Amino acid sequence: MSFVDNLLIGMETAFSWYNLFYCFVGVFMGTLLGVIPGIGVLAAISMLFPMTFHLEPTAALIMLAGIWYGTSYGGSTASILLNVPGTPSSAVTCLDGYPMAQQGRGGVALLMTTVASFFGGSFGIILLMSLASTISHYALSFSSAEYFALMLLGLVAASNISGGSLLKGLIMVAFGILFGTVGSDIYTGTRRFDFGVLDLADGINLVALAMGLFGVAEVIASIGKVDGGQVDRNSLRLAAMKPTRDDLRRSWLPMLRGSSIGSFFGTLPGTGPSIAAFLAYATERRIAREPERFGKGAIEGIVAPEAANNAADQTAFIPTMALGIPGSATMALMLGALMIHGIAPGPQLMTEQPSLFWGLVVSFWIGNVLLVILNVPLIGLWVRLLMVPYHLLFPAVLMFVCIGTYSVNHSAFDVLVVTLFGAFGYAMRVLGFPAAPLLLGFVLGPMMEEHFRRAMLLSRGDFMTFVERPISATVLAFTVLVLLLGLRPLLRVFRKAA
Amino acid sequence: MSQRNYQDAASGLLIAVFGVAVSLYAVNQYNIGSIQRMGPGMFPVAMGVGLGVLGALLALFAWLRPGLRDGMSVQWRPALLVLGAIGFFALAVTFSGLIPAVLGVVLISALADSKTRPRQALLLATALAVLAYLIFQLALDMNFDLF
């Protein structure tokens, strides 16, 4: 099928009223939860996850994706106006966005981040459209050995880069895989780690785990630390948003560079929008003619990272959709949604379900346009939300967490699982362990086990199968490289101690 | 003077012990199989061993690493009240119904932040209970027991 045919299928799907509505709901909720500090993307998605069970799979994915890139738009609002990042990926935007707001240029900053976000998002979507089908075409010849190698790379990269020490990341991955083994074994049907509890026969509920780990742990950590703030209302009038000629001239190239950096890091496993935004900022600062302007309200310092994180949001779908291998915890949740609807992720997805993939891609465009509309004229609404005190907000959030989890299976047991993972997640957070690798391990673990066991069965127990196949060998070489890079700081400690 | 990172050392040791326990449990309970034909026990044992090794390494490096990490601050009150509130919801929704469960989760969790006034909490709980009824019972038709 040609590109145009695919695009037509996508448009037909995405422009149906049903899907348009859920695209709108997704980006609206994404912006809403992105604006509120103390609720990150993962918490937002896991909270709204149960809602998608009642939808058609395409609409479910469109909505979840809308939440995902919607939070990136919303997150920058809190960064600029309050100096508190609404989401981690917009943390860098504080550096120059807040000084701009203090100088009375908050309106310009808000408008330009929206423009940059749209630019970056569109850039990423074009790449996604042109690369995904090519990659999935090659991936059709992958066997279990390649899949196992790719998943291993994803997990190692995620534990290495998502901040903090490699060891802690790997530990969380191992926890995730272990939690993923709970329930019936796919080959023999043996119930593992169910301790006679019937509710565990199908494994730990993904929604409950994500809600506890991200929603609840995040709420606990934010109580007493986040609060509604004072906002200068003057900067929010449309007239105050008009950028000067100088602003526009300075923004062009940073947006382009930011989009390229973001697109690249979005596709890599384990990196994602936060790192992309930081690198885009660092790059701008390094190549700037007057680096001393940065941190004092330089417009380049907000447009480059915002373009980068939105581009990364979109290109993150390339490995997820083309290979069925999520590069980040959020993408793992997207795959989880697909699997709950009985759709097997993988390279055959795009040929078997063209309306799902292309509908999703076209919905990204629609969603990005909707976000521009939501963010420019409606900015006042979001700002009013910023001023709702957190101590009145979080009980409501918890209520939605509880009812949301309960409603999936009408299971009070799942709500108890939320409590358990809330406690676990908060404890790990206090001790400095990153939570995202756990979720990635939890979703990838069962797939990895399946592929590993199949690869061993096919090779008659010969480990050489991973090295003899060229693609698998290359991927494993990369994995080792990433591991070594991560080990460097540890070795330094050793040398110092010796 | 070099200070030891006791938090990491302790958590590393705990994780290592947990890993060993998991492996032992899996070895006893499930069939391990061979490399070629792996049984259900192979992966759990491998992960248990992995956690054991990684935890031990973490503890070892923490013991050798100079410099103390920023002090650990646990927010006990929010943590216990929030978790308690969710636990209450689970019980209340089973033995009673949606409305008491919502009132409970909101009122208990509202105590987690000392800024909340009792009257605010009551108002919030009532408003959210009505909202929950409207959204989940009327709009989404989820068929909860109400009381």
Side-chain angles (χ1 to χ4, degrees), chain A residues 115-127 251-267 276-277 279-281 283-284 300 302-316:
Chain A
V115 172
S117 298
F118 183 73
F119 187 90
S122 309
F123 194 95
I125 297 169
I126 293 173
L127 275 180
S251 299
W252 260 113
L253 282 172
M255 270 199 249
L256 205 60
R257 283 190 291 259
S259 305
S260 320
I261 293 172
S263 300
F264 178 69
F265 285 100
T267 55
L279 287 172
Y281 185 83
T283 310
E284 286 311 316
E300 298 93 319
I302 58 168
V303 292
E306 284 296 318
N309 64 29
N310 282 277
D313 281 354
Q314 308 293 355
T315 54

Side-chain angles (χ1 to χ4, degrees), chain A residues 168 192-193 227 406 426 430, chain B residues 8 30 40 72 75 115 144:
Chain A
K168 287 184 170 177
R192 296 188 287 193
F193 300 113
D227 224 327
Y406 181 77
Y426 182 63
V430 169
Chain B
D8 278 6
Y30 311 119
M72 172 171 71
Q75 303 210 63
K115 279 196 282 286
F144 279 102

Side-chain angles (χ1 to χ4, degrees), chain A residues 1-13 129-130 133 354-355 358-359 361-362:
Chain A
M1 239 189 300
S2 77
F3 188 73
V4 179
D5 286 336
N6 283 327
L7 209 58
L8 283 177
I9 292 178
M11 281 170 41
E12 203 180 313
T13 315
M129 284 162 73
S130 41
S133 41
S355 67
W358 292 99
V361 172
V362 174

Side-chain angles (χ1 to χ4, degrees), chain A residues 77-90:
Chain A
T77 306
S79 292
I80 292 170
L81 295 177
L82 292 184
N83 204 18
V84 179
T87 51
S89 67
S90 53

Side-chain angles (χ1 to χ4, degrees), chain B residues 31-57:
Chain B
N31 177 20
I32 303 293
S34 64
I35 288 290
Q36 184 180 347
R37 239 171 235 290
M38 283 185 259
M42 183 70 86
F43 240 66
V45 171
M47 285 308 124
V49 171
L51 277 176
V53 173
L54 290 168
L57 278 176

